[in-house]
């Protein structure tokens, strides 16, 4: 009996041992099957193991060769070439063969370079623990805690999504690679926008503009928020809350299932050429096919050819060509664009300059950007002539819809048979200065644009400046006399036709505003009322000007026409006016988003940098148009965030332009100066009453620019320290101290290089010495990053008295 019991005991022991052993074997088998990676594992760039494969062996995570070194990422194994589908820290330089990748005991994925530098690839342990990792057969590298996913590479797409992967949320963009062999961020991006639209853009390093988009699904306004490529190769968009899906137009095709292939992996990538393509990888036959793409012609992708050049060709067979009169910046890298061997800067103000040019026509051409202005009802010859007569014109586009006049540079040029447009390009051959004036020419070598500023500055010696101003006023005066004469011959119906400016009666406006019932505000130029335009029901704003100069109504009408003749996307449009006796009213379009002042100072949260930067550029373009591009130069004299308005797409539009002059006759410069406005006034305003100087607006713009950058008012009393009270002093001190980060403290996604550029431009604009302030043309070029910005000096060189604080 005893021995039997012993045997039974032994048996149970053996059984237990067997169970334990088999369980262990089982676990190992399972881990092997999922290729479970344990904390403490290493990969090496220069020796084995170099990667962790997925169970099927089709995907691997680890080091792949990049340039002369290595990068860490995921690739789809292929013969003869692997396809990289994801790269960690893609914009970091390649690492050397002595680098390692560690899955640390703490659960972090850490890249360690040969000199001991550590770069984190994934750090989910901040939100919990990690006990294992795995390269899945879908191409997703995941980290687990107790079998649930705590981090996955699918959440951080680079230029590719794989079957089963989403593009949504914080990582809703694919950014192309530089080239097939360099996986750093390239210039094209595809964005699943929060507005439901899927859009392809070229990122030309300034802020994105609708101009930079070259393809979209047109689904803005839908609730789509996720772009998904399913495992059958179908690309759809849907909303997270509501699973109504829509196939992406142009990329409709189902995945191709040729022959008896059972194993296919689908992939959608923004390729280095900017085209978004769908691919299928047939694993058994090791073939790749591109079965759908959003665009067929590479030329349809904007940005392949640089400034002042155009793209022409079909499919992948295309070339970049210079416009007539231009030459390649670099003959060997034609896509960099073209330049003219000289241009004439600030020619509007230089009536002493005569420019020799010829105009060349090109058919079937178009380009992008905003025209300086558009004229309708011109024929081809008149359109060409309009460019000849406008010295800032670089080229015009003539089509059935009108004649659009553009300044240089011309961007995103495209030539194609189906484009029904004729372009006229102005080629400058030379220029001469009339001998009477002693001013040297400002011929600018395109290749050295930074010269423009220096020369502009040296030109701006006070004497020549006042000469130019005198000239400007004279021309203005002449223009006025001319229009005045025209006006005396004709009566208002002609005006209405010619400039589509409507003349209202006082009673009409009284009705439209319900007896001036809804007052929107009271500016320095009179009260503002909201109304509804009878007939079309459009919302309008009616501005009642203070009663001035009774009797001189013809002159007032002329001035209003000058205002009404402006047409630019960054100016509030004047729709009509009413002049009856001493009553003067202006009728403007109504803009729904309030003023820039509200936008900057009265929001709970700072508006995002990108938006602010765009607005700053809008404002600059509006002023540039007033100063140089519209038919009669207009100096605003009262720029401030309160009269810069925002429309429903947050495009900034300047209002109140032309009014300073209109109100000047009786309101001397001191009486038009009102509280609030004064803050934006240039220091010389105090001493000289001359308001015809553009530099005056440049000063105001500089202050507004600094306010846009810092989201605070020019003068702020509730600040930490005394030197923060005056914005200009504070900004200059931060600039000198290398502490620009302070200006945008707490903000995310701020491009500091751009902030620095904007700050420098702002500081140039607010120089006490008016001759140092750059013209608006240069301001715009500098903001856009086309022109270098030299280091600005202190705006008010000590020991000059600091600007006196107004009483608050
Ligand atoms: C990849 O391209 C980027 C951007 O053009 C460049 O800075 C980088 O040096 C390139 N890397 C390699 C390995 O060529
Ligand atoms: C890599 O390490 C080896 C041995 O530690 C050393 O001889 C070699 O110079 C290193 N290579 C580089 C590129 O640092
Ligand atoms: C993609 O999104 C859908 C719906 O939001 C979700 O069910 C699915 O799991 C997501 N796929 C991945 C890989 O995250
Ligand atoms: C555009 O490119 C610049 C650098 O060239 C980069 O800093 C910026 O983040 C890019 N913008 C987007 C939206 O990717
Ligand atoms: C895609 O495939 C589904 C089923 O596999 C089929 O019903 C549908 O018609 C196909 N669509 C196209 C555009 O081929
Ligand atoms: C697939 O089809 C080809 C002929 O078309 C045949 O030779 C091959 O054996 C097939 N493969 C499988 C796995 O059925
Ligand atoms: C500018 O280029 C034209 C040809 O495009 C040439 O005739 C002219 O001599 C050049 N001028 C200068 C100053 O290089
Ligand atoms: C553009 O090309 C077409 C040929 O496709 C031609 O008929 C047309 O006249 C060309 N020019 C313009 C200005 O449309």
């Amino acid at each position: 009996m005893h021995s039997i019991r012993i045997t039974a005991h032994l048996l149970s022991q053996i059984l237990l041992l067997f169970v334990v052993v088999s369980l262990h074997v089982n676990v190992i088998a399972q881990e092997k099957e999922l290729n479970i990676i344990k904390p403490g594992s290493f990969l090496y760039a220069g020796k084995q193991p170099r990667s962790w494969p997925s169970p099927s062996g089709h995907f691997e995570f680890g080091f792949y060769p990049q340039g002369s070194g290595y990068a860490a990422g995921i690739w789809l194994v292929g013969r003869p070439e692997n396809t990289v589908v994801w790269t960690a820290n893609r914009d970091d330089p390649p690492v050397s063969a002595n680098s390692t990748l560690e899955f640390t005991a703490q659960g972090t994925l850490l890249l360690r370079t040969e000199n001991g530098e550590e770069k984190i690839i994934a750090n989910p342990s901040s939100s919990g623990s990690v006990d294992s990792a795995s390269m899945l057969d879908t191409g997703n590298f995941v980290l687990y805690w107790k079998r649930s996913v705590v981090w996955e590479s699918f959440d951080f797409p680079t230029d590719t999504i794989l079957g089963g992967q989403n593009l949504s949320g914080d990582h809703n963009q694919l950014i192309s690679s530089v080239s097939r062999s360099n996986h750093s961020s390239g210039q094209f991006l595809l964005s699943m926008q929060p507005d439901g639209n899927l859009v392809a853009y070229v990122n030309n390093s300034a802020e994105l503009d609708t101009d930079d988009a070259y393809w979209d699904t047109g689904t803005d306004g839908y609730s789509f928020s996720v772009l998904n490529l399913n495992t059958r190769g179908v690309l759809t968009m849907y909303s997270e809350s509501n699973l109504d899906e829509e196939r992406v137009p142009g990329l409709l095709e189902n995945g191709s299932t040729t022959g008896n292939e059972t194993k296919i992996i689908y992939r959608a990538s923004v390729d280095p050429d900017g085209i978004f393509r769908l691919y299928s990888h047939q694993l058994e036959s090791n073939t790749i096919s591109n079965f759908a793409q959003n665009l067929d012609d590479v030329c349809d992708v904007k940005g392949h050819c640089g400034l002042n050049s155009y793209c022409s060709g079909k499919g992948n067979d295309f070339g970049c060509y210079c416009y007539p009169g231009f030459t390649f910046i670099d003959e060997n890298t034609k896509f960099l664009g073209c330049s003219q061997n000289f241009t004439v800067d600030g020619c509007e103000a230089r009536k002493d300059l005569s420019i020799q040019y010829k105009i060349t026509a090109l058919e079937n051409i178009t380009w992008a950007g905003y025209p300086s202005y558009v004229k309708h009802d011109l024929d081809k010859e008149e359109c060409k002539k309009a460019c000849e007569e406008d010295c800032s014109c670089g080229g015009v586009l003539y089509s059935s819809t009108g004649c659009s006049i553009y300044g240089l540079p011309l961007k995103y040029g495209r030539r194609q048979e189906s484009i029904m447009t004729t372009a006229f390009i102005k080629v400058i051959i030379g220029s001469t200065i009339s001998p009477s004036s002693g001013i040297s020419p400002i011929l600018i070598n395109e290749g050295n644009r930074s010269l423009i500023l220096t020369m502009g500055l040296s030109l701006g010696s006070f004497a020549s400046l006042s000469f130019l101003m005198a000239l400007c006023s004279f021309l203005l005066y002449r223009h006025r006399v001319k229009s005045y004469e025209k006006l005396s011959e004709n009566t208002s119906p002609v005006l209405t036709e010619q400039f589509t400016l409507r003349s209202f009666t006082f009673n009409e406006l009284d009705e439209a505003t319900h007896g001036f019932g809804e007052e929107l505000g009271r500016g320095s130029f009179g009260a503002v009322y909201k109304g509804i335009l009878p007939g079309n029901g459009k919302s309008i704003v009616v501005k009642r000007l203070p009663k001035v100069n009774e009797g001189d109504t013809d002159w007032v009408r002329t001035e209003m026409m000058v205002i009404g003749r402006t047409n630019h996307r960054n100016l509030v449009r004047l729709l009509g006016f009413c002049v009856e006796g001493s009553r003067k009213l202006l009728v403007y379009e109504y803009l729904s988003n309030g003023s820039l002042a509200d936008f900057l100072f009265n929001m709970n949260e700072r508006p995002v940098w990108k938006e602010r930067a765009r607005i700053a550029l809008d404002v600059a373009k509006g002023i540039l148009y007033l100063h140089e591009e519209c038919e009669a130069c207009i100096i605003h004299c009262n720029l401030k965030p309160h009269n810069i308005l925002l429309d429903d797409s947050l495009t900034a539009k300047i209002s109140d332009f032309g009014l300073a002059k209109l109100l000047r006759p009786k309101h001397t410069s001191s009486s038009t100066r009102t509280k609030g406005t004064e803050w934006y006034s240039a220091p010389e305003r105090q001493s000289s009453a001359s308001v015809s100087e553009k530099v005056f607006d440049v000063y105001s713009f500089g202050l507004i620019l600094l306010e846009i950058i810092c989201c605070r008012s020019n003068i702020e009393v509730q600040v930490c320290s005394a030197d923060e009270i005056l914005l200009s002093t504070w900004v200059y001190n931060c600039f000198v101290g290398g502490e620009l980060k302070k200006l945008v403290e707490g903000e995310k996604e701020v491009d500091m290089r751009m902030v620095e550029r904007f700050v420098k431009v702002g500081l140039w604009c607010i120089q006490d010495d008016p001759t140092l302030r750059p013209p608006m043309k240069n301001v715009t070029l500098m903001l856009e990053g086309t022109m270098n910005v030299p280091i600005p000096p202190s705006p008010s060189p000590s020991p000059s008295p600091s600007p006196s604080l107004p009483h608050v």
Side-chain angles (χ1 to χ4, degrees), residues 135-340:
M135 179 70 244
L136 303 182
D137 276 335
T138 50
N140 196 5
F141 188 81
V142 292
L143 301 183
Y144 295 107
W145 168 243
K146 292 191 193 299
R147 297 279 150 118
S148 66
V149 174
V150 291
W151 184 93
E152 52 189 320
S153 61
F154 267 19
D155 281 345
F156 305 91
T158 52
D159 63 349
T160 296
I161 51 173
L162 290 162
Q165 190 171 356
N166 291 334
L167 197 60
S168 66
D170 288 342
H171 299 275
N172 58 358
Q173 288 185 342
L174 293 180
I175 300 179
S176 67
S177 292
V178 169
S179 67
R180 284 171 63 84
S181 57
N182 181 346
H183 295 91
S184 296
S185 302
Q187 57 171 340
F188 303 106
L189 57 100
L190 181 83
S191 174
M192 182 70 241
Q193 296 186 158
D195 67 0
N197 210 359
L198 180 66
V199 186
Y201 286 102
V202 54
N203 175 6
N204 61 7
S205 91
E207 57 282 7
L208 290 183
D209 195 271
T210 48
D211 241 18
D212 302 321
Y214 54 85
W215 178 84
D216 72 302
T217 51
T219 46
D220 44 321
Y222 288 73
S223 57
F224 301 135
S225 55
V226 182
L227 178 71
N228 171 268
L229 179 66
N230 71 17
T231 48
R232 299 184 316 281
V234 182
L235 197 64
T236 53
M237 290 182 289
Y238 56 89
S239 106
E240 245 147 336
S241 47
N242 155 13
L243 289 176
D244 277 349
E245 61 174 52
E246 174 153 318
R247 292 188 177 204
V248 178
L251 294 161
L252 274 172
E253 288 92 328
N254 280 347
S256 59
T257 43
T258 51
N260 51 11
E261 290 279 0
T262 50
K263 287 212 155 150
I264 299 181
I265 286 172
Y266 292 99
R267 163 173 82 88
S269 303
V270 179
D271 283 331
D273 62 7
I275 294 183
F276 184 50
R277 294 189 178 87
L278 287 178
Y279 293 94
S280 62
H281 292 248
Q282 282 105 32
L283 300 176
E284 281 161 20
S285 59
N286 188 41
T287 51
I288 305 177
S289 55
N290 159 217
F291 63 91
Q293 57 194 48
N294 63 347
L295 293 169
D296 290 328
D297 288 341
V298 177
C299 276
D300 285 338
V301 176
K302 285 180 178 170
H304 272 298
C305 298
L307 297 176
N308 299 322
S309 69
Y310 61 90
C311 188
S312 177
K314 264 208 158 6
N316 287 323
D317 182 19
F318 71 97
C320 298
Y321 303 88
C322 288
Y323 291 115
F326 290 77
T327 50
F328 287 111
I329 291 171
D330 181 350
E331 193 65 42
N332 297 318
T333 37
K334 296 192 169 164
F335 63 84
L336 288 179
C338 309
S339 64
Q340 230 167 350

Side-chain angles (χ1 to χ4, degrees), residues 348-349 351 468-469 471-477 479-480 559 562-563 566 623-636 657-658 661 691-694 697:
E348 289 84 354
K351 301 298 174 192
L468 290 184
M469 288 314 155
L471 205 75
C472 177
S473 329
F474 171 68
L475 289 169
L476 257 176
Y477 171 76
H479 174 84
R480 190 194 306 152
E559 280 309 312
V562 170
I563 301 171
T566 57
I623 304 172
L624 173 64
Y625 174 84
L626 287 178
H627 283 187
E628 302 191 4
E629 291 166 1
C630 64
E631 292 177 31
C633 90
I634 295 178
I635 289 145
H636 194 297
F657 51 89
K661 187 130 158 285
V691 288
S692 62
E693 296 184 34
K694 294 175 185 175
D697 284 349

Side-chain angles (χ1 to χ4, degrees), residues 456-732:
L457 293 180
S458 60
L459 164 86
S461 70
F462 193 70
S464 60
L465 198 79
S466 11
F467 168 75
L468 290 184
M469 288 314 155
L471 205 75
C472 177
S473 329
F474 171 68
L475 289 169
L476 257 176
Y477 171 76
R478 262 212 346 207
H479 174 84
R480 190 194 306 152
V481 170
K482 245 168 70 190
S483 348
Y484 182 88
E485 284 164 359
K486 215 152 114 204
L487 205 75
S488 351
E489 294 162 17
N490 303 321
T491 42
S492 42
V494 177
L495 298 180
T496 326
E497 275 170 28
Q498 206 169 354
F499 304 110
T500 58
L501 204 57
R502 185 165 157 199
S503 177
F504 292 90
T505 65
F506 184 78
N507 285 340
E508 275 177 309
L509 294 183
D510 189 43
E511 243 170 65
T513 56
H514 294 287
F516 299 97
E518 194 181 339
E519 185 174 311
L520 291 174
R522 208 166 260 275
S524 42
F525 293 128
V528 179
Y529 304 88
K530 190 172 172 189
I532 304 285
L533 203 60
N536 67 5
K538 207 167 151 182
S539 291
I540 53 168
V541 168
V542 177
K543 187 174 289 249
R544 277 185 93 153
L545 301 183
K547 294 182 182 178
V548 284
N549 255 19
E550 208 164 322
D552 196 3
T553 51
D554 278 342
W555 180 75
V556 171
R557 275 166 188 267
T558 313
E559 280 309 312
M560 286 183 177
M561 272 172 43
V562 170
I563 301 171
R565 218 177 312 192
T566 57
N567 182 9
H568 189 271
R569 73 186 277 273
N570 300 121
L571 297 183
V572 175
R573 186 109 185 90
L574 182 67
L575 302 174
F577 61 90
C578 160
V579 185
E580 277 180 19
S582 64
R583 288 167 172 158
K584 290 165 195 68
L585 300 96
L586 295 171
V587 180
Y588 290 101
E589 61 179 330
Y590 173 76
L591 300 182
S592 56
N593 259 330
S595 72
L596 179 61
D598 293 332
F599 183 73
L600 292 178
F601 313 139
N602 297 339
M603 300 281 247
N604 294 332
E605 215 172 273
R606 279 186 170 207
V608 295
W609 166 253
K610 228 162 72 179
E611 208 96 79
R612 272 149 51 214
R614 194 174 46 75
I615 288 174
L617 197 59
D618 276 350
V619 176
K621 285 179 180 164
I623 304 172
L624 173 64
Y625 174 84
L626 287 178
H627 283 187
E628 302 191 4
E629 291 166 1
C630 64
E631 292 177 31
C633 90
I634 295 178
I635 289 145
H636 194 297
C637 292
N638 190 26
L639 278 168
K640 51 185 174 175
H642 310 80
N643 57 25
I644 294 166
L645 306 178
L646 300 174
D647 74 2
D648 33 347
S649 58
L650 289 180
T651 302
K653 290 173 188 270
I654 298 170
S655 78
D656 286 355
F657 51 89
L659 299 189
K661 187 130 158 285
L662 198 57
L663 295 174
R664 193 161 39 140
K666 259 194 184 161
H667 283 226
T668 61
S669 67
S670 64
S671 66
T672 41
R673 229 189 292 155
T674 54
K675 207 175 148 205
T677 313
E678 204 167 6
W679 294 5
Y680 297 89
S681 297
E684 75 270 16
R685 180 84 179 263
Q686 260 94 61
S687 49
S688 123
S690 157
V691 288
S692 62
E693 296 184 34
K694 294 175 185 175
V695 286
F696 185 83
D697 284 349
V698 174
Y699 184 91
S700 311
F701 174 75
L703 284 186
I704 295 168
L705 179 60
L706 298 186
E707 294 185 334
I708 292 175
I709 296 167
C710 307
C711 278
R712 56 152 274 196
S713 163
N714 185 4
I715 291 165
E716 193 104 68
V717 186
Q718 286 165 331
V719 286
C720 305
S721 68
D723 67 328
E724 286 184 31
I725 294 179
L726 265 186
L727 182 59
S728 49
T729 316
W730 183 50
V731 170
Y732 184 70

Side-chain angles (χ1 to χ4, degrees), residues 374-378 383 397-404 406 420-421:
V374 180
K375 292 190 172 191
H376 303 281
D377 309 324
L378 295 188
C383 180
L397 285 178
Y398 176 78
S399 72
S400 55
T401 59
C403 172
S404 308
Y406 291 81
M420 292 301 161
T421 306

Side-chain angles (χ1 to χ4, degrees), residues 62-77:
F63 287 104
Y64 67 84
Q66 162 96 79
S68 56
Y70 298 86
I74 298 170
W75 59 92
L76 178 54
V77 177

Side-chain angles (χ1 to χ4, degrees), residues 362-364 380 398 416-422:
L362 270 179
E363 294 216 322
N364 303 99
K380 220 181 215 177
Y398 176 78
Q416 199 181 27
E417 292 280 284
S418 59
I419 299 170
M420 292 301 161
T421 306
T422 304

